[in-house]
Amino acid sequence: MKNIFIFIRRNFNFLCFIVLQVLCITMLTRYSKTHEAFFASAANEITGKINKQYSGFSSYFTLKETNRQLAEENARLRNMLKNNFVAPDSSRKFVTDSLTKDSTGRYRKFTFLLAEVVGNTVTSQTNYLMLERGSLQGVKKGMSVVSPQGIVGVVVTVSDNYSTVMSLLHRNSKVSAMLKKDKNAGSIDWDGSDPSYLTLKNISKSAKVAKGDTVLTSTYSANFPPNLPIGTVAGISSDPASNFYTLKIKTATDFFTLQYVYIVENSRYAEQARLESMSQKTND
Amino acid sequence: MTNLIRNIIRFIFFLLLQVFVLNKVPPLHQHIVPYLYFLFILWMPFNMNRLVLLLAGFAMGLSLDYFTNSPGLHAAACTLIAYLRPFLLNLLIPQDTTESSYAEPSIKSMGWAPYSLYIILLTFIHHFYLVLLELLHYGNFWYFLGKVTSITVISVLLIAITEILFFRKGRHKTNTA
């Protein structure tokens, strides 16, 4: 017993070092799997406040670009206004019976919530954004984030007033996507090299792909609303060993100048996720 | 100014510099991140308790980690260099003269060659371990080699510039204590 104490006293620094290392590596592996770190929400709150100060300065430099994006989005939305469309034939009248419309039970599936970006990186292998919206404003883990130009990422940690978003530019990010032309679905990920290009895999070789084709979010995704722009095809490579194309996608979103984004809530996300995990259990 | 206050100011300064300037620099190449924050550990006083040194390194790394959303990554690399630092210093400096008369490692207190060796070795170890941990999640061998060498070169250059810009007079230990 005495010898053990002597051993501990003699190697106290080394033992401390080992304990700290083990602690670090446990945190790291746990975080990259589940995105739940020790003190995550407390730390999120503090770093969020500091990031907010910084983005207050830096947002001035991209005001012009932000303005242009918002004006473009306004124009697009204005084009969708009802009074821009005229019935083709004036002799016939369109009547929408509001009663039947209500009773068929249309429901709102996606809700959009505006959020300011207070932190953003594009240089690392695991890029995250920080938004100034948190659980008090109704943000939950798993919600999707879109910008005026295209999709951005998925919320991974939430504190009271801030939330962290795993951007598309993250080695673990995966989004279900489809070609606009023929609805061929595949999955989007990032190879970690260039922040303006993504990779679209598992597109069948029967699809007629050309450079410049638009890629949208697919209807299979649980958190992203369907038909939002992801990017355009910039390069096509076909692996002779498989039946799939690997496409290089130029992102629609400019990740370098993000200022304001929308957090999208799918009101049936929990239900869909639960069903998916149940069907996975039956497979095991 | 006591040692404690000086080091707290350095801690905050290096942390903010790393998070809001160096991490935001438009990348020279997509894999190169200029790192400077660990200079905080290299500049700690000679007579620092080794346990305190370890904990300070851990705190520095973890604070940076919470900004970059990678809890444990930088903290692991920082505790490693904080642990190795006393051994390296024992090897590099003549025991009787400098350690007793100067407060912290600098060109003046250690001499040109030992100080650069000290900086380059610890910078290399820090980056090697950092990129190795990153590699365990993803990446390949050439990516690893390229990244370690390039960010080590960039960091050593940055440290050299810092040393020239903020020339530290070799303070004597007797003046501070």
Side-chain angles (χ1 to χ4, degrees):
Chain A
M1 199 63 195
K2 197 178 154 201
N3 285 333
I4 295 177
F5 280 121
I6 292 175
F7 174 78
I8 291 178
R9 195 175 304 159
R10 190 174 297 158
N11 295 307
F12 186 64
N13 283 319
F14 182 68
L15 291 174
C16 279
F17 169 67
I18 294 294
V19 168
L20 286 179
Q21 283 292 318
V22 170
L23 184 68
C24 291
I25 290 171
T26 338
M27 280 166 87
L28 186 60
T29 46
R30 269 192 43 183
Y31 188 75
S32 54
K33 265 190 213 127
T34 60
H35 290 284
E36 271 160 23
F38 306 122
F39 319 121
S41 75
N44 219 7
E45 203 64 23
I46 297 167
T47 54
K49 280 205 180 99
I50 303 175
N51 273 326
K52 166 95 181 121
Q53 294 289 324
Y54 176 81
S55 93
F57 295 114
S58 64
S59 65
Y60 283 102
F61 298 111
T62 49
L63 271 184
K64 210 172 172 184
E65 175 66 14
T66 312
N67 217 355
R68 189 188 62 78
Q69 285 171 14
L70 291 179
E72 250 171 32
E73 188 180 31
N74 270 346
R76 204 166 65 237
L77 294 178
R78 236 171 245 269
N79 281 331
M80 285 154 73
L81 284 180
K82 221 180 207 162
N83 53 17
N84 282 338
F85 297 91
V86 202
D89 189 355
S90 55
S91 64
R92 273 184 293 170
K93 223 174 172 182
F94 282 112
V95 178
T96 321
D97 190 339
S98 61
L99 265 178
T100 57
K101 197 173 177 182
D102 281 349
S103 62
T104 53
R106 281 168 165 268
Y107 62 91
R108 174 181 275 276
K109 191 175 176 189
F110 295 106
T111 325
F112 288 71
L113 175 71
L114 181 72
E116 190 186 349
V117 180
V118 295
N120 182 16
T121 58
V122 291
T123 50
S124 96
Q125 295 283 300
T126 52
N127 292 303
Y128 293 89
L129 287 93
M130 183 168 270
L131 309 181
E132 205 200 0
R133 279 273 190 268
S135 54
L136 292 182
Q137 288 85 33
V139 180
K140 291 188 209 81
K141 203 174 159 177
M143 285 184 179
S144 57
V145 176
V146 302
S147 78
Q149 301 157 301
I151 67 167
V152 174
V154 176
V155 175
V156 286
T157 46
V158 180
S159 68
D160 281 352
N161 295 304
Y162 294 93
S163 53
T164 322
V165 176
M166 184 204 273
S167 120
L168 282 186
L169 309 178
H170 187 295
R171 295 293 288 250
N172 297 341
S173 101
K174 212 166 192 108
V175 177
S176 172
M178 67 181 182
L179 294 172
K180 188 184 183 187
K181 206 157 51 176
D182 51 7
K183 315 271 183 226
N184 247 303
S187 73
I188 286 272
D189 48 30
W190 187 54
D191 59 358
S193 55
D194 191 335
S196 35
Y197 290 97
L198 303 164
T199 320
L200 175 57
K201 286 178 181 153
N202 295 351
I203 289 289
S204 139
K205 275 188 183 163
S206 62
K208 289 181 189 64
V209 193
K211 268 189 194 174
D213 283 0
T214 311
V215 179
L216 305 174
T217 50
S218 82
T219 44
Y220 307 148
S221 173
N223 30 26
F224 282 102
N227 300 320
L228 288 178
I230 297 178
T232 50
V233 176
I236 304 167
S237 60
S238 63
D239 177 11
S242 79
N243 267 326
F244 299 109
Y245 283 125
T246 302
L247 306 177
K248 201 175 166 197
I249 308 295
K250 173 102 180 68
T251 56
T253 311
D254 182 1
F255 283 92
F256 293 89
T257 59
L258 282 176
Q259 288 278 300
Y260 287 93
V261 293
Y262 303 101
I263 304 174
V264 186
E265 179 177 17
N266 177 355
S267 53
R268 306 201 162 176
Y269 175 73
E271 193 181 332
Q272 197 169 344
R274 201 176 59 234
L275 199 61
E276 263 170 26
S277 71
M278 266 162 72
S279 62
Q280 241 164 26
K281 256 180 221 158
T282 47
N283 283 342
D284 291 340
Chain B
M1 199 160 47
T2 65
N3 255 328
L4 182 69
I5 297 175
R6 181 195 309 276
N7 275 307
I8 289 174
I9 293 174
R10 268 187 200 161
F11 183 95
I12 296 170
F13 171 75
F14 275 121
L15 185 65
L16 293 182
L17 180 75
Q18 185 64 45
V19 173
F20 290 117
V21 181
L22 295 178
N23 282 355
K24 306 265 177 188
V25 173
L28 305 162
H29 177 269
Q30 58 258 22
H31 295 316
I32 298 179
V33 182
Y35 280 116
L36 189 65
Y37 74 102
F38 58 92
L39 198 57
F40 165 73
I41 300 162
L42 305 188
W43 275 4
M44 294 273 244
F46 280 125
N47 57 353
M48 198 82 165
N49 186 339
R50 283 173 57 188
L51 183 65
V52 178
L53 192 66
L54 265 184
L55 292 177
F58 181 69
M60 183 72 191
L62 200 64
S63 326
L64 179 62
D65 279 334
Y66 275 123
F67 277 99
T68 58
N69 279 297
S70 53
L73 183 67
H74 297 96
C78 277
T79 42
L80 179 70
I81 57 168
Y83 179 71
L84 293 178
R85 198 190 97 126
F87 298 109
L88 198 62
L89 281 178
N90 276 342
L91 286 179
L92 287 176
I93 52 176
Q95 280 298 316
D96 47 336
T97 55
T98 41
E99 190 171 11
S100 48
S101 58
Y102 283 103
E104 51 185 47
S106 66
I107 298 175
K108 206 163 181 194
S109 69
M110 291 170 70
W112 247 105
Y115 185 67
S116 356
L117 190 63
Y118 163 74
I119 291 285
I120 291 172
L121 265 178
L122 283 184
T123 309
F124 179 74
I125 292 169
H126 173 270
H127 293 336
F128 186 86
Y129 194 50
L130 190 77
V131 185
L132 183 72
L133 284 180
E134 218 182 36
L135 177 81
L136 297 181
H137 293 282
Y138 30 68
N140 59 42
F141 182 70
W142 291 112
Y143 164 75
F144 175 69
L145 266 191
K147 183 158 180 175
V148 171
T149 41
S150 55
I151 62 179
T152 306
V153 170
I154 296 283
S155 284
V156 170
L157 275 179
L158 271 179
I159 292 174
I161 293 170
T162 320
E163 289 286 351
I164 294 165
L165 279 182
F166 302 96
F167 184 74
R168 290 169 301 146
K169 281 167 276 171
R171 288 176 308 105
H172 290 272
K173 206 159 108 191
T174 44
N175 294 346
T176 57

PDB file of all heavy atoms in Angstrom, chain A residues 233-253:
ATOM      1  N   VAL A 233     -24.512  21.149 -61.330  1.00  0.00           N
ATOM      2  CA  VAL A 233     -23.498  20.165 -61.668  1.00  0.00           C
ATOM      3  C   VAL A 233     -22.320  20.858 -62.339  1.00  0.00           C
ATOM      4  O   VAL A 233     -22.500  21.599 -63.305  1.00  0.00           O
ATOM      5  CB  VAL A 233     -24.093  19.097 -62.605  1.00  0.00           C
ATOM      6  CG1 VAL A 233     -23.013  18.123 -63.030  1.00  0.00           C
ATOM      7  CG2 VAL A 233     -25.220  18.370 -61.915  1.00  0.00           C
ATOM      8  N   ALA A 234     -21.116  20.644 -61.805  1.00  0.00           N
ATOM      9  CA  ALA A 234     -19.940  21.286 -62.383  1.00  0.00           C
ATOM     10  C   ALA A 234     -18.996  20.268 -63.003  1.00  0.00           C
ATOM     11  O   ALA A 234     -18.122  20.632 -63.788  1.00  0.00           O
ATOM     12  CB  ALA A 234     -19.199  22.084 -61.314  1.00  0.00           C
ATOM     13  N   GLY A 235     -19.137  18.994 -62.663  1.00  0.00           N
ATOM     14  CA  GLY A 235     -18.247  17.983 -63.236  1.00  0.00           C
ATOM     15  C   GLY A 235     -18.875  16.614 -63.099  1.00  0.00           C
ATOM     16  O   GLY A 235     -19.556  16.334 -62.121  1.00  0.00           O
ATOM     17  N   ILE A 236     -18.680  15.768 -64.108  1.00  0.00           N
ATOM     18  CA  ILE A 236     -19.267  14.433 -64.071  1.00  0.00           C
ATOM     19  C   ILE A 236     -18.145  13.416 -64.185  1.00  0.00           C
ATOM     20  O   ILE A 236     -17.309  13.507 -65.081  1.00  0.00           O
ATOM     21  CB  ILE A 236     -20.232  14.229 -65.261  1.00  0.00           C
ATOM     22  CG1 ILE A 236     -21.291  15.327 -65.254  1.00  0.00           C
ATOM     23  CG2 ILE A 236     -20.876  12.855 -65.199  1.00  0.00           C
ATOM     24  CD1 ILE A 236     -22.081  15.408 -66.525  1.00  0.00           C
ATOM     25  N   SER A 237     -18.095  12.461 -63.228  1.00  0.00           N
ATOM     26  CA  SER A 237     -17.128  11.396 -63.403  1.00  0.00           C
ATOM     27  C   SER A 237     -17.852  10.080 -63.173  1.00  0.00           C
ATOM     28  O   SER A 237     -18.656   9.959 -62.255  1.00  0.00           O
ATOM     29  CB  SER A 237     -15.973  11.548 -62.419  1.00  0.00           C
ATOM     30  OG  SER A 237     -16.466  11.491 -61.108  1.00  0.00           O
ATOM     31  N   SER A 238     -17.602   9.099 -64.070  1.00  0.00           N
ATOM     32  CA  SER A 238     -18.293   7.830 -63.898  1.00  0.00           C
ATOM     33  C   SER A 238     -17.259   6.757 -63.606  1.00  0.00           C
ATOM     34  O   SER A 238     -16.241   6.650 -64.271  1.00  0.00           O
ATOM     35  CB  SER A 238     -19.089   7.491 -65.146  1.00  0.00           C
ATOM     36  OG  SER A 238     -18.219   7.327 -66.229  1.00  0.00           O
ATOM     37  N   ASP A 239     -17.536   6.015 -62.560  1.00  0.00           N
ATOM     38  CA  ASP A 239     -16.642   4.940 -62.164  1.00  0.00           C
ATOM     39  C   ASP A 239     -17.024   3.698 -62.945  1.00  0.00           C
ATOM     40  O   ASP A 239     -18.157   3.226 -62.843  1.00  0.00           O
ATOM     41  CB  ASP A 239     -16.833   4.733 -60.650  1.00  0.00           C
ATOM     42  CG  ASP A 239     -16.008   3.576 -60.137  1.00  0.00           C
ATOM     43  OD1 ASP A 239     -15.159   3.090 -60.898  1.00  0.00           O
ATOM     44  OD2 ASP A 239     -16.240   3.174 -58.978  1.00  0.00           O
ATOM     45  N   PRO A 240     -16.123   3.151 -63.780  1.00  0.00           N
ATOM     46  CA  PRO A 240     -16.489   2.004 -64.604  1.00  0.00           C
ATOM     47  C   PRO A 240     -16.849   0.774 -63.776  1.00  0.00           C
ATOM     48  O   PRO A 240     -17.524  -0.126 -64.257  1.00  0.00           O
ATOM     49  CB  PRO A 240     -15.234   1.757 -65.451  1.00  0.00           C
ATOM     50  CG  PRO A 240     -14.151   2.476 -64.775  1.00  0.00           C
ATOM     51  CD  PRO A 240     -14.761   3.603 -64.031  1.00  0.00           C
ATOM     52  N   ALA A 241     -16.441   0.727 -62.509  1.00  0.00           N
ATOM     53  CA  ALA A 241     -16.707  -0.461 -61.700  1.00  0.00           C
ATOM     54  C   ALA A 241     -18.113  -0.480 -61.124  1.00  0.00           C
ATOM     55  O   ALA A 241     -18.589  -1.512 -60.679  1.00  0.00           O
ATOM     56  CB  ALA A 241     -15.695  -0.550 -60.564  1.00  0.00           C
ATOM     57  N   SER A 242     -18.775   0.679 -61.096  1.00  0.00           N
ATOM     58  CA  SER A 242     -20.100   0.681 -60.482  1.00  0.00           C
ATOM     59  C   SER A 242     -21.134   1.237 -61.459  1.00  0.00           C
ATOM     60  O   SER A 242     -20.802   1.682 -62.555  1.00  0.00           O
ATOM     61  CB  SER A 242     -20.089   1.508 -59.207  1.00  0.00           C
ATOM     62  OG  SER A 242     -20.162   2.870 -59.537  1.00  0.00           O
ATOM     63  N   ASN A 243     -22.375   1.235 -61.027  1.00  0.00           N
ATOM     64  CA  ASN A 243     -23.446   1.712 -61.881  1.00  0.00           C
ATOM     65  C   ASN A 243     -23.848   3.140 -61.570  1.00  0.00           C
ATOM     66  O   ASN A 243     -24.913   3.574 -61.942  1.00  0.00           O
ATOM     67  CB  ASN A 243     -24.669   0.804 -61.711  1.00  0.00           C
ATOM     68  CG  ASN A 243     -24.651  -0.289 -62.745  1.00  0.00           C
ATOM     69  OD1 ASN A 243     -24.200  -0.078 -63.860  1.00  0.00           O
ATOM     70  ND2 ASN A 243     -25.123  -1.466 -62.358  1.00  0.00           N
ATOM     71  N   PHE A 244     -22.964   3.851 -60.868  1.00  0.00           N
ATOM     72  CA  PHE A 244     -23.351   5.170 -60.416  1.00  0.00           C
ATOM     73  C   PHE A 244     -22.388   6.246 -60.900  1.00  0.00           C
ATOM     74  O   PHE A 244     -21.202   6.005 -61.076  1.00  0.00           O
ATOM     75  CB  PHE A 244     -23.407   5.207 -58.891  1.00  0.00           C
ATOM     76  CG  PHE A 244     -24.401   4.240 -58.318  1.00  0.00           C
ATOM     77  CD1 PHE A 244     -23.983   3.110 -57.644  1.00  0.00           C
ATOM     78  CD2 PHE A 244     -25.756   4.472 -58.472  1.00  0.00           C
ATOM     79  CE1 PHE A 244     -24.892   2.233 -57.124  1.00  0.00           C
ATOM     80  CE2 PHE A 244     -26.676   3.593 -57.962  1.00  0.00           C
ATOM     81  CZ  PHE A 244     -26.253   2.461 -57.286  1.00  0.00           C
ATOM     82  N   TYR A 245     -22.926   7.424 -61.077  1.00  0.00           N
ATOM     83  CA  TYR A 245     -22.105   8.603 -61.344  1.00  0.00           C
ATOM     84  C   TYR A 245     -21.664   9.217 -60.024  1.00  0.00           C
ATOM     85  O   TYR A 245     -22.377   9.121 -59.024  1.00  0.00           O
ATOM     86  CB  TYR A 245     -22.915   9.676 -62.061  1.00  0.00           C
ATOM     87  CG  TYR A 245     -23.155   9.464 -63.517  1.00  0.00           C
ATOM     88  CD1 TYR A 245     -24.448   9.471 -64.028  1.00  0.00           C
ATOM     89  CD2 TYR A 245     -22.090   9.308 -64.394  1.00  0.00           C
ATOM     90  CE1 TYR A 245     -24.686   9.312 -65.370  1.00  0.00           C
ATOM     91  CE2 TYR A 245     -22.330   9.147 -65.741  1.00  0.00           C
ATOM     92  CZ  TYR A 245     -23.622   9.142 -66.230  1.00  0.00           C
ATOM     93  OH  TYR A 245     -23.844   8.989 -67.540  1.00  0.00           O
ATOM     94  N   THR A 246     -20.510   9.877 -60.043  1.00  0.00           N
ATOM     95  CA  THR A 246     -20.143  10.761 -58.943  1.00  0.00           C
ATOM     96  C   THR A 246     -20.063  12.162 -59.525  1.00  0.00           C
ATOM     97  O   THR A 246     -19.258  12.412 -60.421  1.00  0.00           O
ATOM     98  CB  THR A 246     -18.792  10.357 -58.341  1.00  0.00           C
ATOM     99  OG1 THR A 246     -18.905   9.004 -57.896  1.00  0.00           O
ATOM    100  CG2 THR A 246     -18.445  11.238 -57.173  1.00  0.00           C
ATOM    101  N   LEU A 247     -20.897  13.052 -59.027  1.00  0.00           N
ATOM    102  CA  LEU A 247     -20.981  14.383 -59.619  1.00  0.00           C
ATOM    103  C   LEU A 247     -20.364  15.421 -58.701  1.00  0.00           C
ATOM    104  O   LEU A 247     -20.464  15.328 -57.476  1.00  0.00           O
ATOM    105  CB  LEU A 247     -22.447  14.760 -59.865  1.00  0.00           C
ATOM    106  CG  LEU A 247     -23.262  13.779 -60.690  1.00  0.00           C
ATOM    107  CD1 LEU A 247     -24.688  14.247 -60.780  1.00  0.00           C
ATOM    108  CD2 LEU A 247     -22.663  13.636 -62.063  1.00  0.00           C
ATOM    109  N   LYS A 248     -19.713  16.398 -59.335  1.00  0.00           N
ATOM    110  CA  LYS A 248     -19.158  17.512 -58.569  1.00  0.00           C
ATOM    111  C   LYS A 248     -20.168  18.652 -58.639  1.00  0.00           C
ATOM    112  O   LYS A 248     -20.603  19.034 -59.722  1.00  0.00           O
ATOM    113  CB  LYS A 248     -17.835  17.920 -59.219  1.00  0.00           C
ATOM    114  CG  LYS A 248     -16.917  18.681 -58.326  1.00  0.00           C
ATOM    115  CD  LYS A 248     -15.600  18.913 -59.047  1.00  0.00           C
ATOM    116  CE  LYS A 248     -14.788  19.958 -58.334  1.00  0.00           C
ATOM    117  NZ  LYS A 248     -13.734  20.485 -59.186  1.00  0.00           N
ATOM    118  N   ILE A 249     -20.566  19.154 -57.479  1.00  0.00           N
ATOM    119  CA  ILE A 249     -21.646  20.141 -57.436  1.00  0.00           C
ATOM    120  C   ILE A 249     -21.109  21.472 -56.942  1.00  0.00           C
ATOM    121  O   ILE A 249     -20.489  21.554 -55.887  1.00  0.00           O
ATOM    122  CB  ILE A 249     -22.761  19.688 -56.461  1.00  0.00           C
ATOM    123  CG1 ILE A 249     -23.223  18.271 -56.766  1.00  0.00           C
ATOM    124  CG2 ILE A 249     -23.925  20.654 -56.492  1.00  0.00           C
ATOM    125  CD1 ILE A 249     -23.875  18.122 -58.085  1.00  0.00           C
ATOM    126  N   LYS A 250     -21.355  22.531 -57.725  1.00  0.00           N
ATOM    127  CA  LYS A 250     -21.030  23.886 -57.265  1.00  0.00           C
ATOM    128  C   LYS A 250     -22.145  24.327 -56.334  1.00  0.00           C
ATOM    129  O   LYS A 250     -23.310  24.291 -56.705  1.00  0.00           O
ATOM    130  CB  LYS A 250     -20.945  24.810 -58.488  1.00  0.00           C
ATOM    131  CG  LYS A 250     -20.774  26.265 -58.173  1.00  0.00           C
ATOM    132  CD  LYS A 250     -19.326  26.671 -58.367  1.00  0.00           C
ATOM    133  CE  LYS A 250     -19.113  28.148 -58.059  1.00  0.00           C
ATOM    134  NZ  LYS A 250     -19.289  28.484 -56.641  1.00  0.00           N
ATOM    135  N   THR A 251     -21.800  24.741 -55.093  1.00  0.00           N
ATOM    136  CA  THR A 251     -22.863  25.061 -54.140  1.00  0.00           C
ATOM    137  C   THR A 251     -23.637  26.304 -54.572  1.00  0.00           C
ATOM    138  O   THR A 251     -23.061  27.257 -55.101  1.00  0.00           O
ATOM    139  CB  THR A 251     -22.299  25.350 -52.738  1.00  0.00           C
ATOM    140  OG1 THR A 251     -21.341  26.392 -52.855  1.00  0.00           O
ATOM    141  CG2 THR A 251     -21.651  24.130 -52.149  1.00  0.00           C
ATOM    142  N   ALA A 252     -24.956  26.276 -54.303  1.00  0.00           N
ATOM    143  CA  ALA A 252     -25.775  27.458 -54.586  1.00  0.00           C
ATOM    144  C   ALA A 252     -25.508  28.519 -53.532  1.00  0.00           C
ATOM    145  O   ALA A 252     -25.453  29.706 -53.820  1.00  0.00           O
ATOM    146  CB  ALA A 252     -27.243  27.084 -54.594  1.00  0.00           C
ATOM    147  N   THR A 253     -25.334  28.070 -52.283  1.00  0.00           N
ATOM    148  CA  THR A 253     -25.056  28.992 -51.187  1.00  0.00           C
ATOM    149  C   THR A 253     -23.604  29.430 -51.235  1.00  0.00           C
ATOM    150  O   THR A 253     -22.727  28.609 -51.439  1.00  0.00           O
ATOM    151  CB  THR A 253     -25.304  28.286 -49.843  1.00  0.00           C
ATOM    152  OG1 THR A 253     -26.558  27.649 -49.895  1.00  0.00           O
ATOM    153  CG2 THR A 253     -25.260  29.261 -48.703  1.00  0.00           C
TER     154      THR A 253
END
